[in-house]
mmCIF file of all heavy atoms in Angstrom:
data_model
loop_
_atom_site.group_PDB
_atom_site.id
_atom_site.type_symbol
_atom_site.label_atom_id
_atom_site.label_comp_id
_atom_site.label_asym_id
_atom_site.label_seq_id
_atom_site.Cartn_x
_atom_site.Cartn_y
_atom_site.Cartn_z
ATOM 1 N N CYS A 1 104.002 100.060 93.882
ATOM 2 C CA CYS A 1 103.213 99.753 95.075
ATOM 3 C C CYS A 1 104.026 100.012 96.347
ATOM 4 O O CYS A 1 103.477 100.446 97.362
ATOM 5 C CB CYS A 1 102.707 98.318 95.025
ATOM 6 S SG CYS A 1 103.994 97.073 94.686
ATOM 7 N N ARG A 2 105.322 99.793 96.291
ATOM 8 C CA ARG A 2 106.178 100.039 97.448
ATOM 9 C C ARG A 2 106.157 101.519 97.830
ATOM 10 O O ARG A 2 106.119 101.872 99.002
ATOM 11 C CB ARG A 2 107.596 99.578 97.158
ATOM 12 C CG ARG A 2 108.556 99.827 98.318
ATOM 13 C CD ARG A 2 109.776 100.519 97.749
ATOM 14 N NE ARG A 2 110.707 100.851 98.797
ATOM 15 C CZ ARG A 2 111.055 102.115 99.043
ATOM 16 N NH1 ARG A 2 110.538 103.114 98.385
ATOM 17 N NH2 ARG A 2 111.936 102.374 99.977
ATOM 18 N N HIS A 3 106.151 102.404 96.828
ATOM 19 C CA HIS A 3 106.083 103.840 97.111
ATOM 20 C C HIS A 3 104.766 104.194 97.794
ATOM 21 O O HIS A 3 104.751 104.954 98.773
ATOM 22 C CB HIS A 3 106.250 104.649 95.820
ATOM 23 C CG HIS A 3 107.592 104.482 95.192
ATOM 24 N ND1 HIS A 3 107.776 103.784 94.023
ATOM 25 C CD2 HIS A 3 108.814 104.887 95.590
ATOM 26 C CE1 HIS A 3 109.062 103.786 93.718
ATOM 27 N NE2 HIS A 3 109.713 104.446 94.655
ATOM 28 N N PHE A 4 103.655 103.640 97.295
ATOM 29 C CA PHE A 4 102.363 103.890 97.929
ATOM 30 C C PHE A 4 102.394 103.424 99.390
ATOM 31 O O PHE A 4 101.924 104.121 100.290
ATOM 32 C CB PHE A 4 101.238 103.151 97.181
ATOM 33 C CG PHE A 4 100.760 103.859 95.957
ATOM 34 C CD1 PHE A 4 101.388 103.661 94.736
ATOM 35 C CD2 PHE A 4 99.674 104.720 96.013
ATOM 36 C CE1 PHE A 4 100.947 104.298 93.595
ATOM 37 C CE2 PHE A 4 99.219 105.373 94.878
ATOM 38 C CZ PHE A 4 99.856 105.158 93.657
ATOM 39 N N ALA A 5 102.941 102.228 99.618
ATOM 40 C CA ALA A 5 102.957 101.656 100.971
ATOM 41 C C ALA A 5 103.819 102.470 101.925
ATOM 42 O O ALA A 5 103.416 102.752 103.056
ATOM 43 C CB ALA A 5 103.431 100.207 100.915
ATOM 44 N N THR A 6 105.006 102.865 101.479
ATOM 45 C CA THR A 6 105.893 103.590 102.390
ATOM 46 C C THR A 6 105.421 105.028 102.623
ATOM 47 O O THR A 6 105.532 105.537 103.737
ATOM 48 C CB THR A 6 107.353 103.582 101.875
ATOM 49 O OG1 THR A 6 107.396 104.120 100.552
ATOM 50 C CG2 THR A 6 107.921 102.178 101.879
ATOM 51 N N ILE A 7 104.891 105.665 101.594
ATOM 52 C CA ILE A 7 104.380 107.031 101.776
ATOM 53 C C ILE A 7 103.171 107.023 102.710
ATOM 54 O O ILE A 7 103.068 107.859 103.622
ATOM 55 C CB ILE A 7 104.046 107.684 100.417
ATOM 56 C CG1 ILE A 7 105.352 107.977 99.671
ATOM 57 C CG2 ILE A 7 103.231 108.953 100.594
ATOM 58 C CD1 ILE A 7 105.163 108.384 98.220
ATOM 59 N N ALA A 8 102.262 106.073 102.502
ATOM 60 C CA ALA A 8 101.100 105.970 103.392
ATOM 61 C C ALA A 8 101.538 105.708 104.826
ATOM 62 O O ALA A 8 101.000 106.299 105.772
ATOM 63 C CB ALA A 8 100.150 104.878 102.911
ATOM 64 N N SER A 9 102.539 104.847 104.999
ATOM 65 C CA SER A 9 103.054 104.584 106.345
ATOM 66 C C SER A 9 103.605 105.852 106.971
ATOM 67 O O SER A 9 103.376 106.127 108.155
ATOM 68 C CB SER A 9 104.149 103.510 106.307
ATOM 69 O OG SER A 9 103.609 102.262 105.978
ATOM 70 N N GLY A 10 104.320 106.633 106.186
ATOM 71 C CA GLY A 10 104.860 107.898 106.687
ATOM 72 C C GLY A 10 103.768 108.864 107.116
ATOM 73 O O GLY A 10 103.869 109.496 108.169
ATOM 74 N N PHE A 11 102.715 108.974 106.309
ATOM 75 C CA PHE A 11 101.591 109.849 106.673
ATOM 76 C C PHE A 11 100.930 109.381 107.963
ATOM 77 O O PHE A 11 100.609 110.180 108.848
ATOM 78 C CB PHE A 11 100.548 109.895 105.559
ATOM 79 C CG PHE A 11 100.956 110.690 104.340
ATOM 80 C CD1 PHE A 11 100.527 110.305 103.079
ATOM 81 C CD2 PHE A 11 101.753 111.816 104.436
ATOM 82 C CE1 PHE A 11 100.888 111.028 101.955
ATOM 83 C CE2 PHE A 11 102.122 112.549 103.318
ATOM 84 C CZ PHE A 11 101.685 112.152 102.073
ATOM 85 N N LEU A 12 100.702 108.077 108.070
ATOM 86 C CA LEU A 12 100.066 107.541 109.277
ATOM 87 C C LEU A 12 100.938 107.763 110.506
ATOM 88 O O LEU A 12 100.448 108.166 111.564
ATOM 89 C CB LEU A 12 99.744 106.059 109.090
ATOM 90 C CG LEU A 12 98.609 105.759 108.115
ATOM 91 C CD1 LEU A 12 98.630 104.279 107.710
ATOM 92 C CD2 LEU A 12 97.264 106.118 108.734
ATOM 93 N N ARG A 13 102.228 107.498 110.373
ATOM 94 C CA ARG A 13 103.142 107.706 111.503
ATOM 95 C C ARG A 13 103.158 109.169 111.930
ATOM 96 O O ARG A 13 103.223 109.464 113.130
ATOM 97 C CB ARG A 13 104.553 107.243 111.130
ATOM 98 C CG ARG A 13 104.680 105.741 111.006
ATOM 99 C CD ARG A 13 106.070 105.359 110.544
ATOM 100 N NE ARG A 13 106.122 103.957 110.178
ATOM 101 C CZ ARG A 13 107.038 103.432 109.383
ATOM 102 N NH1 ARG A 13 107.999 104.199 108.871
ATOM 103 N NH2 ARG A 13 107.017 102.152 109.097
ATOM 104 N N ALA A 14 103.117 110.075 110.956
ATOM 105 C CA ALA A 14 103.105 111.512 111.270
ATOM 106 C C ALA A 14 101.870 111.886 112.081
ATOM 107 O O ALA A 14 101.901 112.852 112.848
ATOM 108 C CB ALA A 14 103.171 112.336 109.989
ATOM 109 N N ARG A 15 100.809 111.114 111.941
ATOM 110 C CA ARG A 15 99.579 111.360 112.707
ATOM 111 C C ARG A 15 99.550 110.539 114.003
ATOM 112 O O ARG A 15 98.535 110.492 114.688
ATOM 113 C CB ARG A 15 98.365 111.024 111.860
ATOM 114 C CG ARG A 15 98.261 111.971 110.659
ATOM 115 C CD ARG A 15 96.965 111.853 110.007
ATOM 116 N NE ARG A 15 95.951 112.195 111.005
ATOM 117 C CZ ARG A 15 94.825 112.794 110.751
ATOM 118 N NH1 ARG A 15 94.565 113.141 109.526
ATOM 119 N NH2 ARG A 15 93.947 113.039 111.693
ATOM 120 N N GLY A 16 100.660 109.869 114.315
ATOM 121 C CA GLY A 16 100.749 109.104 115.550
ATOM 122 C C GLY A 16 100.140 107.714 115.475
ATOM 123 O O GLY A 16 99.909 107.082 116.506
ATOM 124 N N ILE A 17 99.891 107.219 114.278
ATOM 125 C CA ILE A 17 99.303 105.890 114.099
ATOM 126 C C ILE A 17 100.410 104.916 113.714
ATOM 127 O O ILE A 17 101.056 105.088 112.674
ATOM 128 C CB ILE A 17 98.209 105.916 113.008
ATOM 129 C CG1 ILE A 17 97.109 106.894 113.392
ATOM 130 C CG2 ILE A 17 97.642 104.508 112.779
ATOM 131 C CD1 ILE A 17 96.123 107.197 112.267
ATOM 132 N N PRO A 18 100.667 103.909 114.535
ATOM 133 C CA PRO A 18 101.695 102.921 114.176
ATOM 134 C C PRO A 18 101.356 102.283 112.828
ATOM 135 O O PRO A 18 100.223 101.859 112.592
ATOM 136 C CB PRO A 18 101.622 101.897 115.307
ATOM 137 C CG PRO A 18 100.988 102.625 116.449
ATOM 138 C CD PRO A 18 100.033 103.598 115.819
ATOM 139 N N SER A 19 102.341 102.245 111.948
ATOM 140 C CA SER A 19 102.116 101.681 110.623
ATOM 141 C C SER A 19 103.429 101.160 110.058
ATOM 142 O O SER A 19 104.510 101.479 110.555
ATOM 143 C CB SER A 19 101.518 102.732 109.689
ATOM 144 O OG SER A 19 102.410 103.809 109.549
ATOM 145 N N ARG A 20 103.284 100.351 109.008
ATOM 146 C CA ARG A 20 104.466 99.764 108.382
ATOM 147 C C ARG A 20 104.115 99.283 106.983
ATOM 148 O O ARG A 20 102.968 98.996 106.685
ATOM 149 C CB ARG A 20 104.997 98.622 109.232
ATOM 150 C CG ARG A 20 103.973 97.519 109.482
ATOM 151 C CD ARG A 20 104.376 96.653 110.628
ATOM 152 N NE ARG A 20 103.468 95.509 110.784
ATOM 153 C CZ ARG A 20 103.591 94.605 111.717
ATOM 154 N NH1 ARG A 20 104.576 94.702 112.598
ATOM 155 N NH2 ARG A 20 102.760 93.592 111.797
ATOM 156 N N ALA A 21 105.131 99.203 106.148
ATOM 157 C CA ALA A 21 104.980 98.636 104.810
ATOM 158 C C ALA A 21 105.234 97.137 104.904
ATOM 159 O O ALA A 21 106.059 96.691 105.713
ATOM 160 C CB ALA A 21 105.970 99.285 103.848
ATOM 161 N N ARG A 22 104.522 96.371 104.092
ATOM 162 C CA ARG A 22 104.714 94.918 104.046
ATOM 163 C C ARG A 22 104.954 94.489 102.607
ATOM 164 O O ARG A 22 104.310 94.972 101.678
ATOM 165 C CB ARG A 22 103.482 94.179 104.582
ATOM 166 C CG ARG A 22 103.131 94.455 106.031
ATOM 167 C CD ARG A 22 104.211 94.111 107.052
ATOM 168 N NE ARG A 22 104.666 92.752 107.062
ATOM 169 C CZ ARG A 22 104.243 91.794 107.900
ATOM 170 N NH1 ARG A 22 103.298 92.083 108.786
ATOM 171 N NH2 ARG A 22 104.750 90.591 107.860
ATOM 172 N N CYS A 23 105.872 93.573 102.428
ATOM 173 C CA CYS A 23 106.232 93.050 101.120
ATOM 174 C C CYS A 23 105.719 91.631 100.975
ATOM 175 O O CYS A 23 105.911 90.809 101.865
ATOM 176 C CB CYS A 23 107.751 93.071 100.960
ATOM 177 S SG CYS A 23 108.320 92.401 99.389
ATOM 178 N N GLY A 24 105.070 91.349 99.865
ATOM 179 C CA GLY A 24 104.557 90.003 99.642
ATOM 180 C C GLY A 24 103.876 89.885 98.301
ATOM 181 O O GLY A 24 104.426 90.308 97.274
ATOM 182 N N PHE A 25 102.638 89.363 98.343
ATOM 183 C CA PHE A 25 101.937 89.036 97.109
ATOM 184 C C PHE A 25 100.446 89.309 97.232
ATOM 185 O O PHE A 25 99.797 88.840 98.160
ATOM 186 C CB PHE A 25 102.135 87.558 96.767
ATOM 187 C CG PHE A 25 103.581 87.184 96.600
ATOM 188 C CD1 PHE A 25 104.322 86.733 97.688
ATOM 189 C CD2 PHE A 25 104.198 87.311 95.367
ATOM 190 C CE1 PHE A 25 105.657 86.401 97.546
ATOM 191 C CE2 PHE A 25 105.539 86.986 95.219
ATOM 192 C CZ PHE A 25 106.275 86.528 96.302
ATOM 193 N N GLY A 26 99.916 90.046 96.257
ATOM 194 C CA GLY A 26 98.478 90.209 96.147
ATOM 195 C C GLY A 26 97.925 88.995 95.420
ATOM 196 O O GLY A 26 98.453 88.598 94.373
ATOM 197 N N THR A 27 96.886 88.402 95.973
ATOM 198 C CA THR A 27 96.304 87.204 95.352
ATOM 199 C C THR A 27 95.068 87.546 94.540
ATOM 200 O O THR A 27 94.352 86.658 94.100
ATOM 201 C CB THR A 27 95.954 86.157 96.433
ATOM 202 O OG1 THR A 27 94.997 86.738 97.325
ATOM 203 C CG2 THR A 27 97.181 85.711 97.191
ATOM 204 N N TYR A 28 94.832 88.838 94.331
ATOM 205 C CA TYR A 28 93.615 89.286 93.674
ATOM 206 C C TYR A 28 93.847 89.914 92.302
ATOM 207 O O TYR A 28 92.912 90.413 91.689
ATOM 208 C CB TYR A 28 92.847 90.276 94.568
ATOM 209 C CG TYR A 28 93.706 91.279 95.310
ATOM 210 C CD1 TYR A 28 94.056 92.497 94.757
ATOM 211 C CD2 TYR A 28 94.157 90.987 96.592
ATOM 212 C CE1 TYR A 28 94.831 93.406 95.439
ATOM 213 C CE2 TYR A 28 94.927 91.895 97.293
ATOM 214 C CZ TYR A 28 95.272 93.104 96.715
ATOM 215 O OH TYR A 28 96.038 93.996 97.407
ATOM 216 N N PHE A 29 95.046 89.873 91.791
ATOM 217 C CA PHE A 29 95.324 90.464 90.487
ATOM 218 C C PHE A 29 95.161 89.456 89.352
ATOM 219 O O PHE A 29 94.606 89.768 88.312
ATOM 220 C CB PHE A 29 96.735 91.057 90.447
ATOM 221 C CG PHE A 29 96.951 92.154 91.448
ATOM 222 C CD1 PHE A 29 97.816 91.975 92.508
ATOM 223 C CD2 PHE A 29 96.285 93.362 91.339
ATOM 224 C CE1 PHE A 29 98.028 92.985 93.439
ATOM 225 C CE2 PHE A 29 96.483 94.381 92.259
ATOM 226 C CZ PHE A 29 97.358 94.186 93.315
ATOM 227 N N LEU A 30 95.688 88.260 89.539
ATOM 228 C CA LEU A 30 95.595 87.177 88.563
ATOM 229 C C LEU A 30 95.028 85.941 89.256
ATOM 230 O O LEU A 30 95.480 85.588 90.348
ATOM 231 C CB LEU A 30 96.975 86.832 87.994
ATOM 232 C CG LEU A 30 97.690 87.891 87.165
ATOM 233 C CD1 LEU A 30 99.101 87.432 86.813
ATOM 234 C CD2 LEU A 30 96.902 88.183 85.889
ATOM 235 N N GLU A 31 94.102 85.293 88.612
ATOM 236 C CA GLU A 31 93.460 84.123 89.203
ATOM 237 C C GLU A 31 94.493 83.041 89.539
ATOM 238 O O GLU A 31 95.345 82.705 88.716
ATOM 239 C CB GLU A 31 92.415 83.552 88.240
ATOM 240 C CG GLU A 31 91.566 82.480 88.876
ATOM 241 C CD GLU A 31 90.415 82.047 87.982
ATOM 242 O OE1 GLU A 31 90.074 82.785 87.040
ATOM 243 O OE2 GLU A 31 89.876 80.973 88.250
ATOM 244 N N ASP A 32 94.408 82.522 90.754
ATOM 245 C CA ASP A 32 95.275 81.441 91.251
ATOM 246 C C ASP A 32 96.753 81.811 91.284
ATOM 247 O O ASP A 32 97.604 80.930 91.243
ATOM 248 C CB ASP A 32 95.083 80.156 90.435
ATOM 249 C CG ASP A 32 93.693 79.601 90.558
ATOM 250 O OD1 ASP A 32 93.111 79.679 91.666
ATOM 251 O OD2 ASP A 32 93.170 79.080 89.554
ATOM 252 N N CYS A 33 97.069 83.107 91.343
ATOM 253 C CA CYS A 33 98.465 83.538 91.379
ATOM 254 C C CYS A 33 98.678 84.549 92.497
ATOM 255 O O CYS A 33 97.759 85.256 92.892
ATOM 256 C CB CYS A 33 98.860 84.192 90.052
ATOM 257 S SG CYS A 33 98.940 83.061 88.665
ATOM 258 N N GLY A 34 99.901 84.601 92.969
ATOM 259 C CA GLY A 34 100.322 85.634 93.901
ATOM 260 C C GLY A 34 101.243 86.588 93.161
ATOM 261 O O GLY A 34 102.296 86.174 92.669
#
């Protein structure tokens, strides 16, 4: 997921759109879990 986030950020930045990767927890993969 980190690769997806950083590559997408790079593509957006190349188009002049401020972007950044964020590290944390998805709460939608497992019920009641991050």
Side-chain angles (χ1 to χ4, degrees):
C1 51
R2 179 230 177 241
H3 295 109
F4 279 87
T6 56
I7 290 169
S9 291
F11 287 147
L12 289 164
R13 289 176 191 159
R15 295 192 60 147
I17 301 169
S19 61
R20 58 197 186 181
R22 298 301 302 262
C23 178
F25 301 91
T27 61
Y28 41 89
F29 299 113
L30 295 174
E31 189 172 342
D32 296 323
C33 291

